[in-house]
């Protein structure tokens, strides 16, 4: 009996131990799950190619928040990739580090300042970059970069990017985000002139918004400022050690524009000011503080840097030297390594600094070139020799025609859509894998015509009168044409005797992809004559005409072409005296 009782007791103890062990393991497992969930919730997520603002609250008060303290951050991806970027003062006692991951996975970061006693400006943590579910090409393919062959731009995934830009100089100063005076505006723009402009340009295929803020508030053609960048711009030149930025102008204006552009798939070609107008009105130290602030605030966006408009416009060297130092600083501070250039003035004999002096700058990665407008050497700057100089230059760099013949610009007579269209086609057929368009009333903002504001000597239309000029539609035809033909395979042939004979190459602009695809743009009023060469003898090619004014294809008199034994093809007569594009395709699948 006693033995039986002991057995029962021992059995009960074993059962109790089992329950205790089970409870212990359940408790430990539950605790692990809770801790894991807690850690997971702490790890902040951000979609790749989107922006995240890491906010810091200063534990100290400074006399001048803009100058007295500098915040810097380091982000390291799990692969080892490192991105360094400065932070910026955002008003009151708030600083921000703005980051955009370019790789999925875990990022660790560390933020510090040059004031080691300010614990509020120190922060470390982790971010998890996740898939981007946005619908734009920038969301799906990533921000643009320079192609591996150094000839053009591609998205980050390597897919070719056809640059179609629109000019909005000083948009952050004068384009209005809270009112719209378009006569028949239906409210779809949210009563925002800026959004009305952007939406119109997107509908026409534009994917680059080319702009700069008027840094010194010294330009603008008499336009009324919406915000001031500085609390006192008079200090910019004489007392640069006491200048102070106005963060409200950025939060309520510039940031809103940048977000809208980025979220709608546009790349921003961003300058920091304009030629000597900015450089002469700012001490070099003021300009460098401005550059650091804009890099900190906007490098995380889909941008390419153009430094400033017409950095070498002045006959004096000092403004250019200032802008060169600004570009050096951009290169030093921008850990994302966005493409960097300088928008240049027309390049002509005697120009200083010239093409030869700029091409070897270490940080200069592409040419934001200017062919000019009607007079002032523009004819020479839009001919084949001009572009050939850039194509053959070493080191090799992409070049984009970023300012030439704005539509309805009075220079001294209004520039027609015919001239605008011709300029764009000439540039692209000459190796500029993209183009920036400009329209009177928009490149220099005119709220209303004849109101005495907005550079009306040259830009006489209101923005809404300029919104749908013929050239803006024809830019879409141009882009659609090249995208349909794998434009990135085309090579400008200039005066290459291997591909053409007896062709006036400054009136008829030839490009080709080997001997499989030939494109020739023939200007208005000039008969097309000569021969295409290096075609496949006796092979079958298909010939068509493309109308660059309407975006439509037309049958050639002979639609099937069989080159002779020497691979020659005599160019046909154009349908009429207008400009036309002749397209000759090898009849098998091209690629």
């Amino acid at each position: 009996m006693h033995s039986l009782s002991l057995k029962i007791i021992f059995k009960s103890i074993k059962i109790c131990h089992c329950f205790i062990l089970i409870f212990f393991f359940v408790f430990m497992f539950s605790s692990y799950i809770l801790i894991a969930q807690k850690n997971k919730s702490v790890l902040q997520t951000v979609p790749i190619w989107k922006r995240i603002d890491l906010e810091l609250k200063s534990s100290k008060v400074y006399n001048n928040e803009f100058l007295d303290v500098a915040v810097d951050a380091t982000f390291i991806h799990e692969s080892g990739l490192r991105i360094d970027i400065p932070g910026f003062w955002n008003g009151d006692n708030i600083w921000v580090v703005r980051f955009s991951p370019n790789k999925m996975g875990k990022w660790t970061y560390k933020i510090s300042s040059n004031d080691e006693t300010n614990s509020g400006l120190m922060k470390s943590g982790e971010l998890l970059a996740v898939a981007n579910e946005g619908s734009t090409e920038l969301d799906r393919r990533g921000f643009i970069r320079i192609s591996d062959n150094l000839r053009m731009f591609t998205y980050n995934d390597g897919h070719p990017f056809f640059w179609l830009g629109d000019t909005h100089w000083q948009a952050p100063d004068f384009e209005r985000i809270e009112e719209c005076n378009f006569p028949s505006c239906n409210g779809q723009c949210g009563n925002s002139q800026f959004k009305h402009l952007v939406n119109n340009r997107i509908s026409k295929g534009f994917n680059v918004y080319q702009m700069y803020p008027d840094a010194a508030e010294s330009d603008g053609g008499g336009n009324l400022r919406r915000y001031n960048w500085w609390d006192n711009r008079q200090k910019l030149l004489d007392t640069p050690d006491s200048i102070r930025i106005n963060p409200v102008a950025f939060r309520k204006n510039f940031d809103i524009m940048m977000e809208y552009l980025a979220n709608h798939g546009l790349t921003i070609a961003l300058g920091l000011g304009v030629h000597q107008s900015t450089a002469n009105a700012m001490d070099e130290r003021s300009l460098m503080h401005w550059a650091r602030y804009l890099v900190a605030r906007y490098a995380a966006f889909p941008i390419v840097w153009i430094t400033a408009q017409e950095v070498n416009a002045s006959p004096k060297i000092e403004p250019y030297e200032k802008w060169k130092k600004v570009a050096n600083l951009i290169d030093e501070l921008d850990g994302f390594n966005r493409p960097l250039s300088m928008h240049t003035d027309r390049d002509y004999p005697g120009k200083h600094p010239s093409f030869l002096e700029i091409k070897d700058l270490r940080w200069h990665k592409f040419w934001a070139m200017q062919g000019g407008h009607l007079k002032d050497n523009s004819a020479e700057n839009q001919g084949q020799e001009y572009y050939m100089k850039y194509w053959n230059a070493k080191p090799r760099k992409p070049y984009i025609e970023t300012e030439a013949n704005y539509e309805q610009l009075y220079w001294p007579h209004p520039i027609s859509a015919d001239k605008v269209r011709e300029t764009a086609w000439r540039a692209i057929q000459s190796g500029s894998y993209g183009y920036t368009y400009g329209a009177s009333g928009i490149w220099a903002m005119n709220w209303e015509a004849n109101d005495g504001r907005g550079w009306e000597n040259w830009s006489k239309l209101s923005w809404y009168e300029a919104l749908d000029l013929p050239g803006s539609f024809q830019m879409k035809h141009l882009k659609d044409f090249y995208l349909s033909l794998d434009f990135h395979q085309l090579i400008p042939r200039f005066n290459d005797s291997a591909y053409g004979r007896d062709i006036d190459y400054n009136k008829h602009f030839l490009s080709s992809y080997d001997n499989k695809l030939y494109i020739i743009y023939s200007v208005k009023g000039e008969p097309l004559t000569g021969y295409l060469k290096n075609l496949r003898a006796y092979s079958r090619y298909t010939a068509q005409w493309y109308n660059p004014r309407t975006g439509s294809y037309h049958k050639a008199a002979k639609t099937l072409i069989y080159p002779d034994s020497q691979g020659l093809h005599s160019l046909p007569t154009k349908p009429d005296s207008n400009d036309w594009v002749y397209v000759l395709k090898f009849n098998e699948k091209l690629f």
Side-chain angles (χ1 to χ4, degrees):
M1 185 72 178
H2 180 70
S3 175
L4 181 62
S5 298
L6 287 174
K7 287 181 179 180
I8 293 172
I9 291 170
F10 283 128
K11 187 174 183 180
S12 298
I13 291 171
K14 286 181 179 180
I15 293 172
C16 184
H17 280 172
C18 287
F19 276 114
I20 290 171
L21 287 172
I22 291 170
F23 175 79
F24 174 77
F25 284 120
V26 169
F27 174 78
M28 292 298 292
F29 182 73
S30 300
S31 299
Y32 173 79
I33 294 296
L34 288 171
I35 292 170
Q37 288 178 339
K38 183 178 179 181
N39 287 339
K40 185 177 180 181
S41 66
V42 170
L43 189 58
Q44 196 169 3
T45 62
V46 55
I48 187 173
W49 307 115
K50 290 295 187 182
R51 290 150 300 287
I52 185 170
D53 283 1
L54 301 172
E55 190 173 284
L56 303 100
K57 189 173 183 179
S58 174
S59 59
K60 296 176 64 175
V61 176
Y62 297 95
N63 291 328
N64 187 334
E65 300 90 342
F66 179 58
L67 298 181
D68 290 350
V69 64
V71 170
D72 290 280
T74 296
F75 293 81
I76 299 178
H77 186 257
E78 57 188 290
S79 67
L81 174 67
R82 172 173 171 159
I83 294 175
D84 296 312
I85 198 75
F88 59 90
W89 176 53
N90 204 30
D92 297 326
N93 63 341
I94 301 300
W95 273 256
V96 170
V97 170
R98 184 167 285 162
F99 179 67
S100 175
N102 54 12
K103 280 182 176 291
M104 290 177 58
K106 185 183 291 186
W107 292 81
T108 60
Y109 66 85
K110 183 177 181 180
I111 304 171
S112 61
S113 77
N114 59 350
D115 183 353
E116 296 181 356
T117 66
N118 191 339
S119 59
L121 299 184
M122 299 178 187
K123 189 174 185 178
S124 60
E126 295 180 337
L127 298 172
L128 183 64
V130 298
N132 187 329
E133 297 180 357
S135 59
T136 72
E137 290 288 274
L138 294 178
D139 290 324
R140 296 191 302 111
R141 300 187 178 279
F143 296 172
I144 70 170
R145 61 177 177 86
I146 292 172
S147 64
D148 293 340
N149 69 356
L150 306 179
R151 285 297 188 197
M152 64 194 73
F153 288 92
T154 68
Y155 293 96
N156 188 72
D157 68 358
H159 189 82
F161 175 82
F162 187 92
W163 174 305
L164 186 58
D166 196 38
T167 307
H168 297 257
W169 298 138
Q170 301 178 1
D173 300 87
F174 304 123
E175 291 187 9
R176 308 188 189 191
I177 60 175
E178 296 161 344
E179 58 180 321
C180 182
N181 65 336
F182 189 84
S184 58
C185 184
N186 57 14
Q188 290 183 349
C189 67
N191 196 33
S192 168
Q193 177 216 21
F194 165 73
K195 292 180 181 179
H196 199 128
L197 278 163
V198 174
N199 297 346
N200 177 278
R201 275 12 195 176
I202 291 173
S203 73
K204 294 172 181 172
F206 289 92
N207 54 14
V208 175
Y209 215 74
Q210 187 169 297
M211 67 181 190
Y212 65 83
D214 181 14
E217 302 174 10
S218 57
D219 203 44
N223 268 314
L224 296 176
R225 301 195 59 78
R226 297 179 54 250
Y227 287 92
N228 293 311
W229 305 121
W230 308 97
D231 66 349
N232 184 352
R233 71 179 182 87
Q234 304 301 327
K235 297 180 179 181
L236 295 173
L237 186 60
D238 298 326
T239 55
D241 293 329
S242 63
I243 61 173
R244 195 166 184 266
I245 206 83
N246 174 21
V248 175
F250 293 84
R251 290 201 312 268
K252 293 188 175 182
N253 178 48
F254 206 161
D255 285 10
I256 293 172
M257 288 184 169
M258 295 291 283
E259 281 291 342
Y260 193 83
L261 291 167
N263 290 337
H264 286 76
L266 278 85
T267 294
I268 302 101
L270 186 62
L272 277 61
V274 54
H275 50 62
Q276 62 269 26
S277 177
T278 298
N280 290 344
M282 297 180 74
D283 182 271
E284 182 180 304
R285 288 166 291 177
S286 297
L287 200 51
M288 300 298 266
H289 289 312
W290 169 256
R292 178 184 170 91
Y293 194 79
L294 264 67
V295 170
R297 195 143 198 147
Y298 298 124
F301 284 84
I303 65 171
V304 297
W305 300 105
I306 57 172
T307 305
Q309 185 197 11
E310 297 178 346
V311 295
N312 58 340
S314 173
K316 297 182 178 180
I317 194 64
E318 289 80 8
Y320 167 74
E321 290 296 333
K322 282 186 180 180
W323 286 123
K324 190 165 68 170
K325 290 178 181 178
V326 166
N328 267 306
L329 184 62
I330 293 172
D331 180 60
E332 176 187 327
L333 295 176
D334 177 13
F336 298 105
N337 295 317
R338 308 297 188 214
L340 173 58
S341 183
M342 297 189 294
H343 179 279
T344 52
D345 193 18
R346 297 157 292 114
D347 186 38
Y348 50 83
K351 185 68 178 177
H352 178 67
S354 68
F355 160 85
L356 291 174
E357 294 166 283
I358 295 173
K359 73 180 186 68
D360 292 321
L361 294 171
R362 174 190 54 79
W363 44 261
H364 187 266
K365 301 302 183 184
F366 73 99
W367 292 98
M369 62 200 300
Q370 177 184 170
H373 309 281
L374 284 188
K375 60 174 186 173
D376 297 332
N377 308 98
S378 66
E380 293 87 344
N381 287 0
Q382 292 155 20
Q384 292 273 27
E385 290 87 354
Y386 175 67
Y387 290 112
M388 203 184 319
K389 175 177 67 176
Y390 288 86
W391 181 266
N392 293 328
K394 294 181 180 179
R396 178 188 288 187
K397 302 175 187 180
Y399 51 92
I400 299 289
E401 180 59 84
T402 56
E403 182 177 343
N405 288 330
Y406 293 158
E407 190 166 6
Q408 287 298 303
L409 171 72
Y410 278 70
W411 204 267
H413 306 293
I415 298 174
S416 68
D418 286 347
K419 178 56 68 175
V420 171
R421 183 180 63 253
E422 176 187 318
T423 304
W425 280 89
R426 287 162 64 122
I428 295 170
Q429 284 292 101
S430 302
S432 173
Y433 291 90
Y435 185 78
T436 295
Y437 167 82
S440 174
I442 296 175
W443 73 266
M445 179 48 55
N446 278 15
W447 183 249
E448 294 284 3
N450 302 313
D451 63 358
R453 304 182 185 280
W455 301 111
E456 286 197 333
N457 285 340
W458 304 304
S459 185
K460 297 182 182 297
L461 301 178
S462 69
W463 73 274
Y464 54 82
E465 291 171 320
L467 192 64
D468 288 321
L469 290 174
S472 66
F473 292 98
Q474 292 165 4
M475 293 301 103
K476 185 177 191 305
H477 302 332
L478 175 147
K479 180 183 175 185
D480 289 346
F481 172 83
Y482 282 105
L483 288 182
S484 72
L485 294 173
D486 288 335
F487 72 95
H488 60 288
Q489 302 280 14
L490 292 169
I491 302 295
R493 296 305 175 187
F494 301 115
N495 60 347
D496 189 345
S497 60
Y499 288 88
R501 192 182 83 189
D502 301 330
I503 300 173
D504 186 336
Y505 65 95
N506 272 318
K507 296 176 181 176
H508 314 292
F509 293 72
L510 173 65
S511 66
S512 77
Y513 168 48
D514 291 337
N515 56 12
K516 301 175 182 178
L517 173 64
Y518 288 72
I519 308 294
I520 189 162
Y521 172 76
S522 179
V523 303
K524 182 178 180 179
E526 296 293 339
L528 180 60
T529 58
Y531 297 85
L532 296 179
K533 296 177 62 178
N534 199 34
L535 284 82
R536 300 186 183 191
Y538 305 121
S539 296
R540 187 167 69 174
Y541 287 77
T542 302
Q544 286 181 296
W545 290 103
Y546 183 78
N547 186 335
R549 299 169 301 286
T550 64
S552 57
Y553 278 95
H554 298 260
K555 280 188 176 182
K558 289 185 177 181
T559 57
L560 295 179
I561 303 298
Y562 297 88
D564 64 19
S565 60
Q566 296 180 336
L568 288 176
H569 167 51
S570 178
L571 287 166
T573 301
K574 294 195 295 188
D576 57 39
S577 62
N578 284 303
D579 57 331
W580 286 89
V581 184
Y582 186 58
V583 182
L584 193 67
K585 295 182 186 179
F586 181 57
N587 221 36
E588 293 181 4
K589 187 177 180 181
L590 287 176
F591 310 114

